[in-house]
Amino acid sequence: MRRSPVIRNATVTVLQVLASSASFFLLYLYILRTLGTESLGLWSLVLATTSLGRLSELGLTGSSLKFVAQYLARDDTPSVVKVVQTSTLTILVIVSVLLVLGYPLLVWLLRANLEPSAYQEAVSLLPYALASFLVNSLAGIIGSTLDGYHRFDLRAYCQIGGHLLYLAAAVALIPLFQLQGLAFAQLLQALSVLAATWLLLRRVCPDLPFLPYRWSRETFRELVLYGFQFQLSGLALFLCDPATKMLLARFGGLSLTAYYEMANRLILQLRAVLTSANRVLIPVFAHWHERAPHRLAGLYRESLSLLLYLSPPAYGLIVATTPLVSWIWLGEFETSFALFCVLLCPSWQINTLAGPAYFAFLGVGRLRWNTAAHVFMALANLALGATLGWLFGGYGVVVAWVVALALGSIVIPVAFQRERKLPLAGALTVDDGVLLAAILLGCAATWALYFYLRPMVAGVTLLVAGLALVYPT
C-alpha cells in the first residue's frame, strides 16, 4: 500500500471537514440572528428524530466500504459492481418503505415532546427532513464505495461543494420561507451531493451502468451478514442523539436543546478534523489484514500517537474560546452553552482517542467490541438521562450523556490492545501529563482574560492570547 494516496486522502478529508466547520459556524450564526435559539432547537430535534431511520439501512454503508476494499485487494472488479448495485437498490427500496411506514411513529414522538405550536411546525418540516435522509442514505452508500477505492478525496470534494451550496441556499431561502427554507436548502444539498458522487464513482469504476438495476441475492446476504453487527453498532450510537434531544426538550425546553446542539456540533466539527485522517485508514486496515496482518499493530500505534499529540490542545482550545464563541453567536455569555462545552469536551476527547481502535476493528471486520460499546452508550444514556433529567432537569440529561459516552468509549481501545497484546498504559507518557496540565492552566487563564479584559481588549486579541496559552511552546 503506497503512502501517497493515504496522505492525499487524509489531507483533502481534513480540508473538507474544515470547510464543513466554517459553513456550519456561519450557518448557525445566521439562524440564531434571524430565527432565534428555539427555532434552531426545533430544527435539531426534527433532524434527530429522522435519524431513527438508521434502522432501515441494515449497516450497508459500512459493509460496502469493507467489501469493496476487500474485492479490490483481490482484483475482483465484477464483485465490486455487484456490491454497488445491490447495496444502492436495497437502500432505495427499504429506506423508502420504512420511512413511509414509520412516519406516524415520528409524528407521535414529536407530539409527545413538544408544545402544540412547536409540534405543528415540526410536523410541517418532517417530510423534507425525511426526503433529505433518504437522499443522504443513497449518497452515503455511493460515497462509501469511493472510500473503498481509496478515493476519499473525491468524496470530500463533493461534500465541500455541498456545504457551500447549503450555506448559500439557506441564506437565500430562510428570509422567504423561515425554517422551511432551511429544509429546502438541506434537500438541495443532499441531491447535489448524490448526483456528484455517483458521477465520480462511474468515472472511477467504468464497469458500472448509468443507473443501478441489477440486484444480487448472494451479495445481499454477504453484505447483511457483515452489516448486521455494523448496523447494531451504528444504530445504537445514532439513537443516542435523538434520545438526548428528546429528553432535553422534555426536561429543559427548546432553548436548552439549542444550546446543547450548538455546543455538541461545535465539538463534533473539531472531532471530525481529528478523526477524518484516521478514517481513511479503514480500507488500509482491510488491505493489510488480507496481505500482512502483522502490520496492523504498528499502524494502530502510529495513529494513536498522532492523536495523543494533537487532540488535547485541540479540545483545550474549544474550552478556552467558549466565551468568545458564545459572544459571537449569541451576543452575550450564555452559561448553559459554556457549561455544555466544558462537560462534553473531556468525553469526546476520550472518544477521539478510541478512534484508531474503532477503525481498525472496522477494517478487519471484527465489530463485536464496537457494537458492545455503542449498545452500552445507548442504554446507559437512556436510563441515566431519564433518571437525571427527572431529578435535575436538562442539565442532568447532558451529564448522563457525558458519562455514557466516556465509559462506552473506553471499552474499544482496551479490547483492541488486549487482542493485539499491546500494553494498556504504554501509550501514555509523562510528557502527555505535563501537556494536559499546561492546557488546563491555559484554559483557566483564557477564561480569566475574557472576563476581566473583554471590556478593554478586542475579541480577536483575546482569541490570539487563548491560542498562545492553550498551545504552549
Side-chain angles (χ1 to χ4, degrees), residues 20-30 266 269 325 328-329:
S20 170
S21 301
S23 173
F24 129 82
F25 188 89
L26 294 173
L27 179 62
Y28 274 30
L29 176 62
Y30 184 75
L266 181 68
Q269 291 301 127
V325 173
I328 294 172
W329 265 348

Side-chain angles (χ1 to χ4, degrees), residues 40-173:
L40 178 60
L42 181 65
W43 177 242
S44 69
L45 181 62
V46 171
L47 291 183
T49 303
T50 60
S51 68
L52 294 172
R54 300 284 177 185
L55 282 165
S56 58
E57 288 189 352
L58 304 177
L60 294 183
T61 301
S63 297
S64 297
L65 192 160
K66 194 264 184 186
F67 283 107
V68 166
Q70 175 179 299
Y71 288 134
L72 286 175
R74 300 174 183 175
D75 298 320
D76 187 357
T77 301
S79 293
V80 171
V81 174
K82 286 184 180 180
V83 168
V84 176
Q85 294 197 83
T86 301
S87 59
T88 303
L89 292 172
T90 301
I91 285 291
L92 176 63
V93 174
I94 293 182
V95 173
S96 299
V97 171
L98 290 186
L99 287 183
V100 171
L101 296 178
Y103 181 82
L105 172 62
L106 301 181
V107 171
W108 177 82
L109 287 172
L110 292 172
R111 182 188 293 117
N113 291 280
L114 293 172
E115 297 294 329
S117 58
Y119 160 73
Q120 293 296 333
E121 186 173 11
V123 170
S124 70
L125 297 170
L126 189 57
Y128 302 104
L130 290 174
S132 296
F133 178 84
L134 172 61
V135 176
N136 281 324
S137 296
L138 292 170
I141 283 289
I142 298 167
S144 68
T145 305
L146 281 173
D147 295 346
Y149 269 93
H150 304 277
R151 295 310 307 264
F152 288 80
D153 56 324
L154 296 180
R155 185 181 191 181
Y157 291 136
C158 296
Q159 294 290 342
I160 290 172
H163 294 316
L164 296 176
L165 178 62
Y166 186 27
L167 178 60
V171 171
L173 295 175

Side-chain angles (χ1 to χ4, degrees), residues 12 15 40-41 46 74 146 149-150 159 169 171 183 257 268 287 307 373 375 405 427 440 447:
V12 178
L15 291 176
L40 178 60
V46 171
R74 300 174 183 175
L146 281 173
Y149 269 93
H150 304 277
Q159 294 290 342
V171 171
T257 305
L268 287 179
H287 177 90
L307 284 178
V375 170
L405 175 63
L440 293 175
W447 277 55

Side-chain angles (χ1 to χ4, degrees), residues 160-306:
I160 290 172
H163 294 316
L164 296 176
L165 178 62
Y166 186 27
L167 178 60
V171 171
L173 295 175
I174 285 176
L176 300 175
F177 304 103
Q178 302 298 300
L179 267 183
Q180 280 198 347
L182 185 61
F184 295 153
Q186 186 186 65
L187 182 56
L188 180 61
Q189 177 205 27
L191 289 169
S192 66
V193 171
L194 173 62
T197 51
W198 178 251
L199 290 174
L200 288 173
L201 178 59
R202 291 192 69 242
R203 182 179 177 182
V204 172
C205 182
D207 293 337
L208 283 172
F210 180 73
L211 290 174
Y213 65 95
R214 287 186 176 178
W215 186 87
S216 168
R217 178 182 299 179
E218 294 75 15
T219 302
F220 172 76
R221 184 183 298 112
E222 184 179 44
L223 291 171
V224 170
L225 286 176
Y226 174 82
F228 174 76
Q229 290 188 71
F230 188 88
Q231 171 72 348
L232 182 59
S233 173
L235 177 63
L237 183 61
F238 279 113
L239 287 179
C240 291
D241 188 54
T244 300
K245 289 177 180 175
M246 287 178 188
L247 290 170
L248 265 174
R250 171 177 287 273
F251 293 114
L254 286 177
S255 292
L256 208 62
T257 305
Y259 296 139
Y260 168 81
E261 166 70 9
M262 293 161 57
N264 199 49
R265 280 296 300 272
L266 181 68
I267 296 168
L268 287 179
Q269 291 301 127
L270 168 71
R271 175 183 175 272
V273 174
L274 296 170
T275 60
S276 57
N278 275 273
R279 187 175 180 275
V280 305
L281 295 176
I282 296 176
V284 180
F285 279 117
H287 177 90
W288 290 128
H289 183 62
E290 291 285 328
R291 300 285 181 90
H294 63 277
R295 299 190 61 172
L296 295 177
L299 184 59
Y300 167 77
R301 287 196 195 94
E302 290 179 10
S303 303
L304 182 59
S305 297
L306 182 61

Side-chain angles (χ1 to χ4, degrees), residues 326-373:
S326 178
W327 178 71
I328 294 172
W329 265 348
L330 301 167
E332 61 182 358
F333 178 78
E334 172 53 53
T335 305
S336 298
F337 168 72
L339 179 61
F340 290 160
C341 283
V342 172
L343 287 173
L344 289 165
C345 271
S347 288
W348 280 118
Q349 162 77 85
I350 295 171
N351 181 266
T352 300
L353 294 178
Y358 175 81
F359 294 132
F361 275 135
L362 288 181
V364 303
R366 290 179 55 80
L367 304 182
R368 178 180 60 179
W369 289 109
N370 290 0
T371 302

